[in-house]
Amino acid sequence: MMFKDIKKANVIEFEYKNAEIDIPEELVIKQFVAIYTVHEKCRGFNGYLRNRLNNNTGKTVEDYKKSIKKLTVDINNIKKDGPQNSFEEIIIKYGEKVIDRGEECIRKVKDSNYLEIITRSMRRSEICLGNTDFQNLRKSDFIYVVDFNNCSYNMVEMDCLPLLSKLKRKGAKFDFCKLAKEFCYIEGLDADSEKFLIALISYPHEFMKCCNRYRTGKRVWHEDKFSQRIKKALVQDGDPLF
């Protein structure tokens, strides 16, 4: 990237304090152009750094499938033994609906010619930046990037997903279907990529993440904290886009 006029920055100042809520749609589209410029400059690279770049093609979808299966097991176990705390009571109350939503998202991913998207990505050796947040990437006279550590071989759609998914979870009032379509237009992608993005943005990411943390014990939270967090997750995930 450094040889392609992409500059390393120590920090990128961002004027919007409550960025996810206050930013205008035009700035999101401008960020899409910055993302596309990175993709255009880096696509096709298969040189001596190959062994140091992870290949994350398809990883997110597989991780989402695993989370659905694990939550299904959790619910069955809780039903068998009975809920032990308020967090598990919430899992019993909402978990099956969340699983249904997650499974529908995966079905729509498959209906978007997912395997063709993977094939295209691998054929073109597409590279993603990984972190496309406003404070990590900016386009002005040059492309400026703070952190390159999340770069990987991946479908270019996956550089749009975290940006739009985060905006949606933070409560930004955008037409996300329209934004997904705009991203695909800028990248020269077809309607299948648009469907693919909408399906993944609709996935109940926060609820699943909270359940995964509870299961693995990565967060040493009191049960009340877990209960508060998963209630917040239901709000953040909002409604699906389809």
Side-chain angles (χ1 to χ4, degrees):
M1 290 188 181
M2 303 294 281
F3 287 113
K4 294 284 187 175
D5 292 326
I6 298 175
K7 306 293 186 181
K8 177 75 170 68
N10 291 325
V11 65
I12 292 176
E13 298 293 339
F14 196 58
E15 59 184 298
Y16 295 91
K17 298 297 182 184
N18 194 2
E20 294 80 9
I21 302 298
D22 296 337
I23 62 172
E25 183 179 282
E26 292 76 16
L27 191 57
V28 179
I29 295 172
K30 184 178 178 181
Q31 194 73 351
F32 290 165
V33 175
I35 294 168
Y36 168 70
T37 305
V38 171
H39 293 163
E40 188 179 36
K41 288 178 178 293
C42 300
R43 185 171 59 239
F45 175 80
N46 58 2
Y48 69 94
L49 285 177
R50 176 178 290 277
N51 292 332
R52 290 161 54 188
L53 267 185
N54 291 330
N55 189 332
N56 290 335
T57 307
K59 183 177 184 298
T60 296
V61 173
E62 292 307 310
D63 286 345
Y64 283 179
K65 290 178 183 177
K66 290 176 185 176
S67 290
I68 292 171
K69 290 179 181 178
K70 289 178 180 178
L71 182 55
T72 301
V73 172
D74 290 343
I75 290 172
N76 290 336
N77 289 337
I78 293 170
K79 284 183 175 180
K80 179 181 177 181
D81 300 328
Q84 303 299 307
N85 51 52
S86 57
F87 179 84
E88 293 186 357
E89 289 174 356
I90 295 172
I91 296 296
I92 291 296
K93 185 175 181 179
Y94 296 103
E96 290 180 345
K97 290 182 179 179
V98 171
I99 287 172
D100 289 343
R101 174 172 166 177
E103 289 177 339
E104 181 63 17
C105 291
I106 298 302
R107 279 193 292 272
K108 289 188 177 297
V109 164
K110 292 178 180 177
D111 290 343
S112 69
N113 285 323
Y114 176 54
L115 293 180
E116 289 297 321
I117 293 173
I118 290 177
T119 300
R120 181 214 70 216
S121 175
M122 295 177 69
R123 184 180 68 249
R124 301 201 305 177
S125 297
E126 294 175 355
I127 292 176
C128 284
L129 186 60
N131 181 356
T132 54
D133 189 80
F134 297 100
Q135 291 178 299
N136 193 62
L137 169 66
R138 171 173 290 178
K139 185 178 188 297
S140 52
D141 49 339
F142 291 98
I143 293 289
Y144 293 95
V145 176
V146 175
D147 184 6
F148 294 96
N149 290 331
N150 292 317
C151 288
S152 66
Y153 290 105
N154 208 338
M155 299 166 284
V156 292
E157 292 90 344
M158 303 310 292
D159 263 350
C160 179
L161 174 64
L163 181 65
L164 291 189
S165 183
K166 181 179 179 181
L167 289 168
K168 183 177 182 292
R169 295 196 308 270
K170 293 294 184 179
K173 303 302 181 183
F174 293 128
D175 182 339
F176 288 97
C177 292
K178 176 186 172 184
L179 286 174
K181 185 173 184 177
E182 183 68 23
F183 175 83
C184 292
Y185 172 77
I186 291 169
E187 291 274 355
L189 303 173
D190 61 20
D192 285 333
S193 292
E194 188 182 329
K195 295 174 186 175
F196 173 73
L197 272 172
I198 290 169
L200 290 186
I201 295 168
S202 299
Y203 183 83
H205 175 86
E206 289 298 309
F207 191 96
M208 292 294 188
K209 183 170 72 173
C210 191
C211 292
N212 289 341
R213 286 175 172 172
Y214 179 79
R215 183 186 313 110
T216 59
K218 287 185 178 180
R219 292 279 183 170
V220 186
W221 287 341
H222 188 272
E223 83 173 61
D224 288 344
K225 179 69 173 178
F226 269 112
S227 298
Q228 293 169 13
R229 185 65 192 84
I230 203 163
K231 288 177 184 177
K232 183 179 179 181
L234 287 165
V235 175
Q236 288 179 309
D237 285 331
D239 295 324
L241 300 177
F242 44 76

